[in-house]
Amino acid sequence: MKRDFKPKTRFRAAAVRIIIEQRRMRKEAIKMQGQVSIESQDSIQKSKPKCISTSMGLTAESNWRNLPTREEGFQRLIKWIIQAPLLVVLHYTIPDCRKDKWKKFFLLTFFTSIVWTAFFSYIMVWMVTLVGYTLGIPDSIMGITFLAAGTSVPDAFASLIVARQGLGDMAVSNSLGSNIFDILIGLAFPWFIQTAIIEPGSIALINSRGMVYSVILLFLTIVITIGGISLSQWQLTPRLGVVLLSVYGVFLVISILLEFNFLGYVNPPMCQD
């Protein structure tokens, strides 16, 4: 026997059936979620990324007060002898804001760190300039090789740490953002101080004409970097790393050849004082 129900009645019956089914599925989901949370708690703790201090090896063993023992080897002792004086000075001049008594002085920690960074940067630039002058190497060559490598090591370590934690976007952003900061702030701010405050009305001269070609090469490397990341489906792979290292090698070789006038007379010799 066939019964025909009104559309309104059929709609109500379907709505009640849907509500009952949703409640049943919700209860099952809650049960499954409870089981999964208990079972996966250990795996989540294991897969939790290490903090930056652990990734960089800043543990209690790196404390300068701990004199290496014979079991740790002679190399460990030499490393401690070299690092201990510097660590002592930094320990007593930079407040450790990780401790409770220094948490309110984090700004002081930040500014003292900047002061020490500026001091070390000045020493590094002075030594690189002195070595280049002694060996007869132009300042531009020393800048794109030794000086660039020395100033980029902290950025490289920072990118390495976040890449190990699976944050590839942060690693790429750090490398690109640091270079943008170096160009727009690292160059503009010292030039402004020199030409507007120290010697008002003066100008800063660039002695290397090959710098134009170096800037063009730098732009091409950025294009190749972005294109390579795009072709690798926005994943940092070993093959992409090899490609970028090769591009840097080509950039370095061409820049050096330009500065030494092997690819044309673009860099006239500087006048001797």
Side-chain angles (χ1 to χ4, degrees), residues 50-63 76 79 161 164:
K50 297 180 180 180
C51 61
I52 294 179
S53 60
T54 305
S55 301
M56 295 183 65
L58 299 178
T59 59
E61 296 178 357
S62 61
N63 194 338
R76 174 74 176 178
K79 182 179 179 181
I161 292 171
R164 284 182 175 179

Side-chain angles (χ1 to χ4, degrees), residues 1-250:
M1 182 176 180
K2 184 177 179 181
R3 296 182 179 180
D4 294 331
F5 296 97
K6 295 181 179 180
K8 187 176 181 180
T9 303
R10 292 199 299 268
F11 179 78
R12 287 180 177 177
V16 172
R17 182 65 180 270
I18 292 174
I19 293 173
I20 295 174
E21 188 67 19
Q22 286 181 346
R23 290 179 179 177
R24 184 185 64 82
M25 294 177 63
R26 190 180 296 113
K27 291 181 180 179
E28 293 181 356
I30 293 174
K31 292 181 180 179
M32 292 294 295
Q33 185 177 3
Q35 295 177 358
V36 171
S37 61
I38 295 175
E39 294 176 356
S40 62
Q41 186 174 6
D42 296 336
S43 61
I44 293 175
Q45 292 294 332
K46 293 180 180 179
S47 61
K48 187 177 180 180
K50 297 180 180 180
C51 61
I52 294 179
S53 60
T54 305
S55 301
M56 295 183 65
L58 299 178
T59 59
E61 296 178 357
S62 61
N63 194 338
W64 56 271
R65 292 189 178 92
N66 297 332
L67 183 65
T69 60
R70 292 183 178 180
E71 290 76 10
E72 294 178 343
F74 182 73
Q75 295 180 353
R76 174 74 176 178
L77 179 61
I78 297 299
K79 182 179 179 181
W80 181 86
I81 293 175
I82 296 174
Q83 293 181 347
L86 179 60
L87 294 178
V88 170
V89 174
L90 296 179
H91 175 78
Y92 287 105
T93 56
I94 301 178
D96 190 357
C97 58
R98 295 173 298 181
K99 298 180 180 179
D100 294 335
K101 63 178 181 179
W102 294 109
K103 284 185 177 180
K104 297 181 180 180
F105 300 94
F106 61 93
L107 289 178
L108 179 61
T109 302
F110 177 74
F111 285 111
T112 51
S113 300
I114 291 180
V115 171
W116 275 112
T117 302
F119 173 76
F120 292 139
S121 299
Y122 177 82
I123 297 297
M124 181 179 62
V125 172
W126 173 68
M127 294 180 65
V128 168
T129 304
L130 186 61
V131 171
Y133 178 79
T134 304
L135 300 178
I137 302 175
D139 294 340
S140 56
I141 298 296
M142 301 298 292
I144 64 176
T145 53
F146 298 100
L147 191 59
T151 56
S152 300
V153 167
D155 296 332
F157 274 105
S159 298
L160 178 63
I161 292 171
V162 296
R164 284 182 175 179
Q165 297 178 354
L167 304 175
D169 52 349
M170 185 179 294
V172 176
S173 300
N174 174 64
S175 60
L176 296 179
S178 61
N179 286 278
I180 294 174
F181 181 86
D182 292 340
I183 294 174
L184 300 182
I185 303 298
L187 291 179
F189 187 67
W191 287 350
F192 174 78
I193 294 177
Q194 176 66 27
T195 57
I197 299 177
I198 299 178
E199 296 181 3
S202 62
I203 58 176
L205 297 177
I206 299 177
N207 296 314
S208 176
R209 296 181 182 177
M211 196 67 65
V212 177
Y213 300 96
S214 298
V215 172
I216 295 175
L217 291 174
L218 177 61
F219 176 76
L220 292 177
T221 56
I222 295 176
V223 173
I224 294 174
T225 300
I226 298 177
I229 296 176
S230 178
L231 292 176
S232 62
Q233 298 180 354
W234 303 98
Q235 295 179 356
L236 303 181
T237 61
R239 181 181 299 178
L240 178 61
V242 173
V243 171
L244 296 181
L245 288 175
S246 302
V247 172
Y248 175 73
V250 173

